[in-house]
Structures are given as structure tokens and as C-alpha cells.
Amino acid sequence: MATKNSLSALQVMQDAPVIPVIVLHDIAHAVPLARALLAGGIRMLEVTLRTPQALPCMEAIARHVPEAVLGAGTVRSAADAQAAAMAGARFAVSPGYTHSIGQACHDLELPLLPGVATGSEILMCQQDGLTELKFFPALQAGGPAMLKAWSGPFGEVRFCPTGGVTLQNAAEWLALPNVVCVGGSWLVPADALACGDWARITRLARETHALRSAGK
Ligand code: 3PG
């Protein structure tokens, strides 16, 4: 789907092998974290709407780090999508799918990666024109074997598995033909955030380039 910033869900997935899943509790962390990830070559940043500070953090990143491509994660309603767009989000990620989330993101011109864990959910997304999907929670919902099984009936769907993906197992996921990228929280460890160890986060981001040369 074309958007006002010409970004598609596929482009969000193709930019790097990993979309970092970010949980921010302190607005002071937002800008240095975004800069640390950018320094490591990661531009697509998924800030989850899980904390009261999420929206102000997104606003700070949008204002001060315009080279980052800000996304909102944990979008659970049309209102979440609207608030995220107002805060500067340019894409959205949801842990599940409803038609109202899909409609809101369509109306807001926000590319959406909706979460699916069953064939029926994939069919619902396809009915609404969505073929780039987040497989969530990926490890718990069936792991790589599930995506291999889906590649038959849902051969045109491309996935971003998220949930239980780590630096150690990411290559296995990325080797699957229907996986474009993975999502994961390992790039932003809570202890590194807490002590402002931005250099460690940049190093973790840089490590993901090896994943690209290994497969995607
Ligand atoms: C989440 O919603 O927290 C993501 O799925 C991240 O999961 P992870 O911590 O297993 O990477």
C-alpha cells in the first residue's frame, strides 16, 4: 500500500534483518537510543505502546532523530493507531489483527504489520489486502516449522517472526523463503537502557549485519 511517505510494509521489512522491539520507560532514553541504533545501521524502530512514556518518547525521536523511521508497536486499537500517527509513527505493528485496526491504518496511510498466529487470522488479513504479516508469538506459536507449513497454502505471504527470536536463532528464521526480517527485543536490553550503555546497543545493532550476509 502506498503511503504519504511512500513507505510500504514490505520496505519496512526489507530495510534490515531485524526490527528492534523497544520498550521505553524514560523519555531521557528515547533520543540517545534511537541514535545508538542508527549508528549501528538500524533505521526502522518499533517503539511499543506499552508504557505511559511511549508516545512522548516517539514524539522526541520523530523531532530529534528524523533519519530514523519510527514505528509504533503493540497497536491494539484504531485509537492506538491514531495516537501513534500523531506522535510521528510512519508504520505500525500489532500483536493481533482486527478490521478496525486495518481500516484505521489504511485511513492514516500507516503501513501495518499485523500479528497472526493462525491460518484464519492470515485469511482475515488477506481479505483486507495485507500480505506482509508479523508471526507472533513466533517461537511459542509453532516456530520455524509453522512457517514452513504455511508456505504451501499461503505462499504469497511474507512474514516477520517476532517473539522468542534471538541473535542465536535469527539465522534459522531468516533462511526461510517466506521470512523477510525478524523482530526482537534483544537489540535493546533493559539493563543497557537503564545504565545508558549506548555503545553496547550500537554493537548489538551492528551484529545484525552479519545476519544479512548470512541470508537476507
Ligand atoms: C514483544 O512483543 O515483546 C516481542 O515479541 C518481543 O519478543 P522478544 O522479547 O521475545 O524478542
Side-chain angles (χ1 to χ4, degrees):
M1 183 192 307
T3 71
K4 60 188 164 198
N5 53 36
S6 302
L7 189 65
S8 67
L10 184 60
Q11 287 171 319
V12 171
M13 294 170 94
Q14 285 175 327
D15 203 63
V18 183
I19 298 174
V21 176
I22 301 167
V23 181
L24 286 166
H25 295 275
D26 185 342
I27 190 163
H29 294 159
V31 168
L33 170 67
R35 289 189 176 136
L37 289 166
L38 273 178
I42 301 288
R43 290 193 313 149
M44 301 287 159
L45 311 183
E46 178 190 335
V47 176
T48 56
L49 297 177
R50 284 182 206 180
T51 65
Q53 296 80 14
L55 289 170
C57 286
M58 290 174 63
E59 285 165 0
I61 294 170
R63 187 174 319 118
H64 298 292
V65 197
E67 24 341 354
V69 182
L70 185 62
T74 323
V75 170
R76 289 168 292 191
S77 65
D80 279 349
Q82 280 148 7
M86 289 289 291
R90 294 172 59 194
F91 67 92
V93 184
S94 58
Y97 185 67
T98 64
H99 294 301
S100 77
I101 291 175
Q103 187 65 51
C105 289
H106 178 268
D107 294 346
L108 291 159
E109 301 186 331
L110 270 186
L112 171 67
L113 295 176
V116 296
T118 68
S120 297
E121 291 158 1
I122 295 172
L123 289 174
M124 193 160 70
C125 290
Q126 286 185 311
Q127 188 181 316
D128 289 353
L130 300 164
T131 53
E132 281 80 38
L133 310 178
K134 164 178 162 171
F135 176 34
F136 176 79
L139 196 63
Q140 299 84 342
M146 187 74 148
L147 288 184
K148 284 181 197 153
W150 278 345
S151 68
F154 303 117
E156 65 284 20
V157 176
R158 288 167 284 202
F159 293 96
C160 170
T162 306
V165 182
T166 63
L167 182 64
Q168 288 68 38
N169 67 20
E172 183 186 356
W173 290 100
L174 288 164
L176 298 171
N178 53 354
V179 169
V180 180
C181 70
V182 298
S185 62
W186 84 83
L187 292 184
V188 187
D191 59 333
L193 257 189
C195 68
D197 190 350
W198 312 122
R200 179 176 163 208
I201 288 171
T202 297
R203 272 198 310 278
L204 289 167
R206 283 211 180 105
E207 282 175 349
T208 65
H209 298 296
L211 294 173
R212 168 152 283 165
S213 51
K216 294 271 160 68

